Amino acid sequence: MKKSLIALSFGTLGLGIAEFVMMGILPNVAHALDISIPSAGHFISAYALGVCCGAPMLILLRRRPMRQTLLFLVALMMAGSFCAALAPSYWMMLIARFVSGLPHGAYFGVASIVASRLAKPGKEAEAVAVMIAGMTVANLLGVPFGTLLSTFLSWRLVFALVVLWGALTLWAIRHWVPDMDPLPDTGFRGQFLFLRHLAPWLILATTMLGNGGAFCWYSYVSPMLTSISGFRPEAITGLMVLAGGGMVLGNLCGGWLSVRFTPGRTAAAMQGLMALALLAIFYLAPYRWVAVGLMCVVTFCLFAVSSPQQFLIIKFSPGGEMLGAASAQIAFNLGNAIGAYAGGLPIEAGLDYRYPALIGLLFALLGFAILVYFSRRYEKRAR
């Protein structure tokens, strides 16, 4: 495996910890800043808002060499996490989380293109999967470790750890990623011309729907495992590690399958499998280890569609490749937010924790239908 791709995955690992660890340390942060847990939940929303606002800044960086852009984005990630580690109040933490989210989508946009350029012909989707792998490792190891660090020492050390990891990432990118010229400058207007076509909109829609379907249910997986499946609360951390393992395997398999078949067909198959798993969860959640196995299938599919979709948006965004790839991260985060909200509706209505899976099923089926249409219309024509 090329060291340059490993360096890129270092960046996604740091961003993954910065984004997802807040969910595990939320009570500790709320207690330290003397705010309620719902108020602390705003820190998750602030990061997602930063992702959405930061992705378009690639338009301003389009003329810079891509390695320089990556170094700047990692430094911005470090700055946000450094401020979060020292934040003395709610408002300072809110600003720090917003700043931490700014480089997220932009980094994925640039790193996806760099990974594609570094790959051998026909292996681009596999290279993108290696770049994304850092995000899955963050869920497998980084987030549980950060939660333990927060429990036994201090939540501020978690963000300090992200800063240190960012320093290592800067070194790796500086020494392992080769110099690359920026993409041909199509001008400000040219960055958006790809949006005149249907294909990128279909890809972004399926990204949002796929993640929305998974997070409809996954946002409430802990109470489902305890109240429906019968696990004890102290077992949840270990089960989340298993879920993270599903993400790692799904990401790697998604890239591998995209090379051997096509990205669109791979994403459609994984989206269909996710829909079947969500349906099975509704009926089989009371059976402990069946529920755990189905949880891993959903997290497997969640990231098995990521690298195919990330590669496809680059391919179908001529002239605005970086903006297109960054837009996929906006769609990803919108799907998370919409899914979490939609999955909570049946719970607020008094239904049990199996019902978010049914809401997620509707999202996943719609995403599957769009992917099938996309593959038949665009990939079949290309072949």
Side-chain angles (χ1 to χ4, degrees):
M1 185 181 298
K2 293 182 177 180
K3 291 193 296 184
S4 51
L5 294 177
I6 295 174
L8 296 176
S9 71
F10 280 4
T12 58
L13 192 153
L15 290 166
I17 296 175
E19 178 178 17
F20 291 111
V21 78
M22 181 59 72
M23 300 172 189
I25 67 175
L26 206 63
N28 304 88
V29 176
H31 177 75
L33 298 181
D34 195 24
I35 57 176
S36 66
I37 289 180
S39 295
H42 298 165
F43 302 145
I44 299 174
S45 302
Y47 188 99
L49 183 61
V51 175
C52 297
C53 294
M57 73 179 175
L58 281 178
I59 298 173
L60 305 176
L61 301 173
R62 67 185 186 276
R63 298 177 182 176
R64 305 300 304 169
M66 283 190 275
R67 187 173 68 175
Q68 288 186 15
T69 301
L70 288 172
L71 293 172
F72 167 74
L73 294 171
V74 173
L76 190 58
M77 175 192 76
M78 294 170 63
S81 294
F82 180 78
C83 293
L86 300 177
S89 65
Y90 167 84
W91 287 107
M92 289 300 296
M93 188 64 172
L94 198 70
I95 294 171
R97 291 293 292 167
F98 176 80
V99 172
S100 295
L102 287 175
H104 186 112
Y107 183 91
F108 270 85
V110 180
S112 297
I113 295 171
V114 172
S116 298
R117 285 190 173 187
L118 292 170
K120 296 178 181 179
K123 300 283 188 178
E124 293 88 351
E126 213 163 16
V128 172
V130 174
M131 181 273 295
I132 295 175
M135 179 70 72
T136 62
V137 173
N139 281 279
L140 175 64
L141 299 176
V143 173
F145 177 73
T147 303
L148 289 174
L149 197 63
S150 173
T151 302
F152 293 104
L153 292 174
S154 171
W155 61 268
R156 297 184 185 276
L157 291 176
V158 178
F159 295 108
L161 182 65
V162 174
V163 175
L164 293 176
W165 185 259
L168 175 61
T169 304
L170 285 176
W171 182 90
I173 291 175
R174 178 69 181 81
H175 290 86
W176 294 350
V177 176
D179 281 318
M180 289 186 180
D181 294 329
L183 294 170
D185 185 13
T186 57
F188 182 85
R189 181 171 176 270
Q191 299 292 307
F192 296 90
L193 290 180
F194 73 93
L195 293 173
R196 296 185 304 176
H197 305 286
L198 178 61
W201 287 107
L202 293 176
I203 297 166
L204 295 175
T206 59
T207 301
M208 184 181 72
L209 289 167
N211 285 281
F215 277 87
C216 271
W217 166 76
Y218 193 62
S219 299
Y220 307 95
V221 65
S222 293
M224 189 209 76
L225 290 172
T226 54
S227 64
I228 304 295
S229 303
F231 284 98
R232 299 177 67 179
E234 52 266 30
I236 297 301
T237 299
L239 295 176
M240 292 300 98
V241 172
L242 291 178
M247 295 177 187
V248 173
L249 291 175
N251 177 64
L252 296 176
C253 288
W256 184 82
L257 291 170
S258 295
V259 171
R260 280 142 189 84
F261 300 97
T262 65
R265 291 169 66 186
T266 298
M270 294 298 103
Q271 192 75 74
L273 180 59
M274 180 193 293
L276 291 174
L278 289 170
L279 179 62
I281 284 170
F282 178 76
Y283 289 104
L284 302 177
Y287 301 94
R288 281 190 175 192
W289 294 107
V290 174
V292 171
L294 291 169
M295 173 187 71
C296 293
V297 172
V298 173
T299 57
F300 176 93
C301 295
L302 174 64
F303 274 87
V305 301
S306 293
S307 54
Q309 289 170 336
Q310 197 76 26
F311 172 72
L312 284 171
I313 194 65
I314 295 172
K315 182 179 178 181
F316 286 91
S317 305
E321 290 88 350
M322 285 199 296
L323 183 61
S327 297
Q329 293 303 307
I330 296 177
F332 183 98
N333 280 271
L334 283 176
N336 295 356
I338 295 171
Y341 171 77
L345 294 178
I347 298 172
E348 291 180 358
L351 300 174
D352 66 45
Y353 285 102
R354 295 177 302 143
Y355 281 86
L358 283 186
I359 306 297
L361 172 64
L362 299 178
F363 279 75
L365 284 176
L366 184 56
F368 169 72
I370 294 174
L371 278 167
V372 170
Y373 172 78
F374 171 88
S375 181
R376 290 184 175 179
R377 174 169 179 175
Y378 294 99
E379 288 189 324
K380 188 174 182 180
R381 181 188 302 174
R383 290 196 300 272

